[in-house]
Amino acid sequence: MQTREQAFQAASQRTTIHREALHHVPHSNWAYLYDKDTFHLRVRTGKENVGQVFALTGDKYDWEHYHEEHRMRKIASDQFFDYWETAVKPENKRFSYAFRMQAEDETLWMTETGFYTEPPAPPDGFYERPYIHEVDLFTAPEWAKSAVFYQIMPDRFANGDAGNDPVNVAAWGDTPTAESFFGGDLQGIIDHLDYLARLGITAIYLTPIFEAPSNHKYDTTDYRKVDPDFGDVEVLKELVANAHAKGIRVVLDAVFNHISAQSPQFQSVIEHGEHSEYAGWFHIHNFPVKVTDGKPNYDAFGFFADMPKLNTVNPEARKYLLDTAGYWLKEVGIDGWRLDVANEIDHTFWRDFRKVVKDINPEAFIIGEVWSDSMRWLNGDQFDSVMNYPLASRLTEYLNNGDMDAGRFGEQLGNLLMRYPQQANEVLFNLLASHDTPRILTQLGGDPRKLKLAAAFLFTFTGTPCIFYGDEIGLEGEGDPDCRKCMIWEEERQNRELFECYQSLIRLRKAFPALQTGRFRILTANPQERAFVYERVDADAHFVISLNPSEQPATLPLPLEDHFQDALNGEKLIPSEGEGQVLLDLAPYSYRILIKTNETLRSPEQAVHPVGE
C-alpha cells in the first residue's frame, strides 16, 4: 500500500488528468441534502479532460456491508470545467466518500487528503458526512416552484381611486421623471386582477407600499402604515383576499437597509443628536448630522443623504424591523417578502428574520435582492431565493447577437447553475428586467421577436419566472425613470400578439411540472453558431426547446428517436427511419418547443388551452 507521500509523488508524474482543475468541498453547493433522503454530490474536472467519474460511498463503521459505487453524470460545463453530479441515499443517514476519475489509460482517486494512483483504503482520509439531519435541509415553499410572478409598481399600474391621488398628480401616460406621481394605487390592482388571472399570473410582487415621500416608496417613513397615495390597510386586505380567491399570492417589498431622512426616527436624531433615543439606530460618524458637498456624515444607501442606513445590530432597531415583518404577515396574510438591498445587511439579522417569518407562515417566500453570487444567503438559514440578474444579463447578451454565441451562452448557464444547490435553482427569481434596469424590449433593440425568444427561455428554464408589469404588452423604456412608465390599458395600443405569446407560454409551463422542476440539459450549443437547444425532463414529460436568435433560418438535426409534437401547435415530428433524428427547421428569431409524454400524445387543445379561451 502506498504511503501518502508516495501517492502524491506518483500522481504528480502523470499528466493525463489535470489535477489542478479538480475541485470538491464537503458542503455548500458541492455536497448538500436535496430532500430528507437524498444527498447530492458534485465534483469539478477540467473541461473534456475526464471521461468518467464515480463516487465511492460507504459507512465508515461497516464499509464492507455498506458501500456503493455511483456513476456520476456530467450536468454542466463552462469555459474551463466540467461538473459532475450524483444522488446518494445512505441507508444509515451517514457516509464517507471519495471520487474515482478515468481518462484514457489513467485512473485517479481523489479524497479529502489528496490524489492517489492506487485505490486508497477506505474510509481513512475520505470525505465525510458524519450524520444527515433533516433539520438542516434547505427547503423553499413548494408553491414557488410552479409560481409565475408579476412585478408591479403601484403608482404606475392603474389608478382605481382618484380620491387618493397626490396633489401634484401627472396625467396618466406622461413621460415619467424622478419626481412624477401618476396616481396608481392598490384599488387599481384590485380592478385588474382578472387581467392578471387571464395572463396566467399566480403571484404578485409589489414594490414598497408603505408611507414614504417618493413615488417609488423605497424611502420609508412609517413601516406600519400603507401610504395614503395607495390606500389604507383595509384596501390592502381586500387586495390580498381577492388575489387569494383567484389563486394569486402577494409578496411585499421590505426596505430594511435604510429609511427616509424624513422619518420620525431620523428627525429625532437631527433634533437631539447623540441624546436622541434613536441615535443608535443609525451609523452616525459624528454629531450633529450634516451633509457637506453632497456627502452625509452618516452611512446611507449609496451617498443618498435622504436614505440613512439603519443599524440592524442595534437591539431596538432590530426588534422594530423584525416585528414589522411579522406584523404584515399576521395583519394582512401576505405570502412573503422581497428584501431590498439585502446584501448590505448583516447575516445575523437575516437569520433572525427568517425565523420570525417562518414561525408565522412556513410557506412564506423570502426573496433577497442580491445581484451577484448569493450562496452565502442560500444555505437554508436566510433566504429562499434571490433575484437572478446574472441570468438576465447573459440571456440579453446572447439574444442581441453580441460576442456571446451559443457555445458561450451554454458555458455561462452551466456556470450559473453550479453556483447553487438544485433546490435553490428551482426557485431562483428569474427576471428579464425590473424597475432598476431598462425595459427588456428596449434592451433587445425594440425587436419583439427577440422578446418572444427571451420569454420562451424564461418560461422553460429552471427557476421561478417573473414579468415586469407591461413587458407582456410591449412597454419600452430606458433606465430609471423611463423604465417606470404607466401601464397601457387600451388594447389597441398594446402588442396583443406579444401578450398572447406570454399567455400561451405561461399556460404551458403551468401544465407540465417538467418545465418547473424537470432536469435541465443542454443538447446543442456550438461555438460560432447561434442556435441553442436544451431539454427539460421528468418522469412524465420530455421537452426539447430550440432557439434561433439569428437573421438566418436554421435547420437543426435533433437526436430524437421517439415521436415528438410541437407543444404549442400540435404538429407531429417523426424521426427519419433508421437515423434516429429529426430535422427541425427554425425561422429567423424563432423558437420551437417539442414535447413527448408517457401517455398517448395529446392534442394542444388537451395539453394547453387555446389562447383566448
Side-chain angles (χ1 to χ4, degrees), residues 97-221:
Y97 62 97
F99 299 102
R100 175 166 61 86
M101 288 95 172
Q102 292 184 199
E104 297 179 357
D105 60 346
E106 182 183 2
T107 299
L108 187 70
W109 284 261
M110 184 172 78
T111 73
E112 191 170 72
T113 55
F115 305 118
Y116 298 85
T117 56
E118 297 292 335
D124 182 39
F126 278 34
Y127 297 102
E128 185 175 6
R129 180 60 51 171
Y131 195 83
I132 295 174
H133 296 275
E134 188 175 343
V135 70
D136 294 331
L137 173 63
F138 166 37
T139 57
E142 191 68 22
W143 65 264
K145 298 177 182 179
S146 59
V148 177
F149 267 85
Y150 192 86
Q151 181 191 354
I152 294 175
M153 297 194 75
D155 183 62
R156 309 298 163 86
F157 189 62
N159 188 343
D161 182 1
N164 61 23
D165 287 359
V167 294
N168 56 341
V169 67
W172 193 263
D174 277 1
T175 301
T177 69
E179 291 76 32
S180 297
F181 289 85
F182 288 96
D185 49 35
L186 299 180
Q187 185 60 52
I189 301 172
I190 294 172
D191 294 344
H192 290 88
L193 285 175
D194 284 341
Y195 167 85
L196 297 179
R198 285 196 305 274
L199 180 58
I201 299 305
T202 64
I204 300 170
Y205 145 44
L206 298 179
T207 56
I209 62 168
F210 306 124
E211 185 178 68
S214 67
N215 55 46
H216 53 72
K217 310 301 179 190
Y218 280 98
D219 49 347
T220 313
T221 55

Side-chain angles (χ1 to χ4, degrees), residues 148 195 198-200 432 447-460 467 471-474 495-509 547 567-568 589-593 608-612:
V148 177
Y195 167 85
R198 285 196 305 274
L199 180 58
L432 300 177
D447 190 338
R449 299 175 303 169
K450 292 183 180 180
L451 182 48
K452 290 177 184 178
L453 281 168
F457 181 83
L458 179 70
F459 294 112
T460 58
I467 304 165
D471 281 351
E472 77 282 3
I473 51 95
N495 185 329
R496 298 302 296 177
E497 183 181 340
L498 187 58
F499 175 88
E500 291 172 358
C501 170
Y502 269 79
Q503 192 180 45
S504 62
L505 288 167
I506 292 170
R507 192 176 289 136
L508 185 67
R509 181 182 180 88
L547 310 178
L568 297 174
Y589 290 104
S590 70
Y591 62 88
R592 294 287 299 273
I593 301 174
V608 184
H609 297 300
V611 170

Side-chain angles (χ1 to χ4, degrees), residues 426-588:
E426 290 171 351
V427 294
L428 281 186
F429 204 71
N430 292 342
L431 66 165
L432 300 177
S434 75
H435 63 290
D436 285 326
T437 71
R439 287 272 172 179
I440 182 59
L441 185 54
T442 299
Q443 292 185 56
L444 296 174
D447 190 338
R449 299 175 303 169
K450 292 183 180 180
L451 182 48
K452 290 177 184 178
L453 281 168
F457 181 83
L458 179 70
F459 294 112
T460 58
F461 186 62
T462 303
T464 303
C466 180
I467 304 165
F468 187 35
Y469 77 94
D471 281 351
E472 77 282 3
I473 51 95
L475 273 190
E476 294 192 65
E478 299 292 346
D480 176 21
D482 195 44
C483 60
R484 304 177 180 185
K485 291 178 177 176
C486 295
M487 179 66 174
I488 296 173
W489 289 111
E490 301 87 355
E491 286 196 9
E492 63 273 13
R493 296 178 55 210
Q494 297 178 346
N495 185 329
R496 298 302 296 177
E497 183 181 340
L498 187 58
F499 175 88
E500 291 172 358
C501 170
Y502 269 79
Q503 192 180 45
S504 62
L505 288 167
I506 292 170
R507 192 176 289 136
L508 185 67
R509 181 182 180 88
K510 291 166 65 176
F512 291 97
L515 293 177
Q516 303 160 18
T517 58
R519 186 188 76 207
F520 170 87
R521 185 166 69 106
I522 296 171
L523 300 179
T524 303
N526 297 323
Q528 300 181 351
E529 293 184 5
R530 300 296 302 154
F532 183 75
V533 185
Y534 56 98
E535 66 180 2
R536 300 297 306 278
V537 183
D538 69 3
D540 299 314
H542 184 176
F543 283 88
V544 174
I545 300 98
S546 303
L547 310 178
N548 180 29
S550 169
E551 292 285 0
Q552 304 302 319
T555 298
L556 306 178
L558 301 182
L560 306 179
E561 297 183 355
D562 298 309
H563 290 210
F564 279 71
Q565 70 180 37
D566 191 297
L568 297 174
N569 65 26
E571 177 190 348
K572 294 185 178 180
L573 291 91
I574 301 174
S576 302
E577 186 174 351
E579 296 183 11
Q581 70 175 16
V582 169
L583 292 179
L584 185 69
D585 292 324
L586 283 176

Side-chain angles (χ1 to χ4, degrees), residues 199-416:
L199 180 58
I201 299 305
T202 64
I204 300 170
Y205 145 44
L206 298 179
T207 56
I209 62 168
F210 306 124
E211 185 178 68
S214 67
N215 55 46
H216 53 72
K217 310 301 179 190
Y218 280 98
D219 49 347
T220 313
T221 55
D222 189 342
Y223 289 92
R224 307 288 174 85
K225 181 181 179 182
V226 174
D227 194 288
D229 292 348
F230 294 161
D232 57 26
V233 68
E234 296 305 318
V235 182
L236 178 58
K237 288 180 179 179
E238 182 182 355
L239 169 58
V240 172
N242 289 2
H244 285 176
K246 295 181 181 296
I248 299 174
R249 300 176 191 258
V250 179
V251 170
L252 299 185
D253 207 327
V255 190
F256 292 160
N257 177 69
H258 53 270
I259 198 170
S260 172
Q262 298 180 34
S263 65
Q265 294 89 342
F266 198 72
Q267 286 296 306
S268 173
V269 176
I270 291 175
E271 182 177 353
H272 302 292
E274 63 264 46
H275 302 295
S276 168
E277 63 180 306
Y278 299 108
W281 283 41
F282 304 95
H283 301 268
I284 312 294
H285 303 165
N286 49 68
F287 294 95
V289 295
K290 59 184 178 180
V291 180
T292 304
D293 296 329
K295 290 190 177 182
N297 67 340
Y298 50 87
D299 291 349
F301 170 58
F303 293 104
F304 296 102
D306 57 345
M307 297 185 191
K309 181 176 176 62
L310 287 161
N311 178 11
T312 49
V313 174
N314 177 272
E316 289 78 20
R318 187 186 201 85
K319 184 177 187 305
Y320 173 72
L321 297 175
L322 294 175
D323 287 350
T324 293
Y327 172 79
W328 291 107
L329 285 161
K330 295 175 182 177
E331 181 71 15
V332 178
I334 62 171
D335 300 287
W337 289 101
R338 181 267 187 185
L339 307 170
D340 190 58
V341 201
N343 58 335
E344 296 187 19
I345 297 177
D346 64 277
H347 292 277
T348 301
F349 176 85
W350 289 132
R351 293 186 182 101
D352 290 346
F353 176 90
R354 183 180 183 87
K355 187 174 190 312
V356 167
V357 168
K358 297 293 185 176
D359 282 351
I360 296 170
N361 179 7
E363 289 300 299
F365 193 35
I366 303 173
I367 310 158
E369 185 201 15
V370 186
W371 289 55
S372 53
D373 191 318
S374 307
M375 190 62 228
R376 287 173 293 171
W377 292 273
L378 295 174
N379 283 309
D381 59 346
Q382 296 174 67
F383 306 157
D384 295 316
S385 179
V386 292
M387 302 183 76
N388 200 358
Y389 282 106
L391 176 66
S393 65
R394 287 156 177 79
L395 177 61
T396 302
E397 184 179 352
Y398 166 59
L399 295 179
N400 274 333
N401 287 326
D403 294 332
M404 190 177 292
D405 57 24
R408 181 65 176 146
F409 181 56
E411 292 171 348
Q412 291 288 305
L413 287 183
N415 184 274
L416 291 178

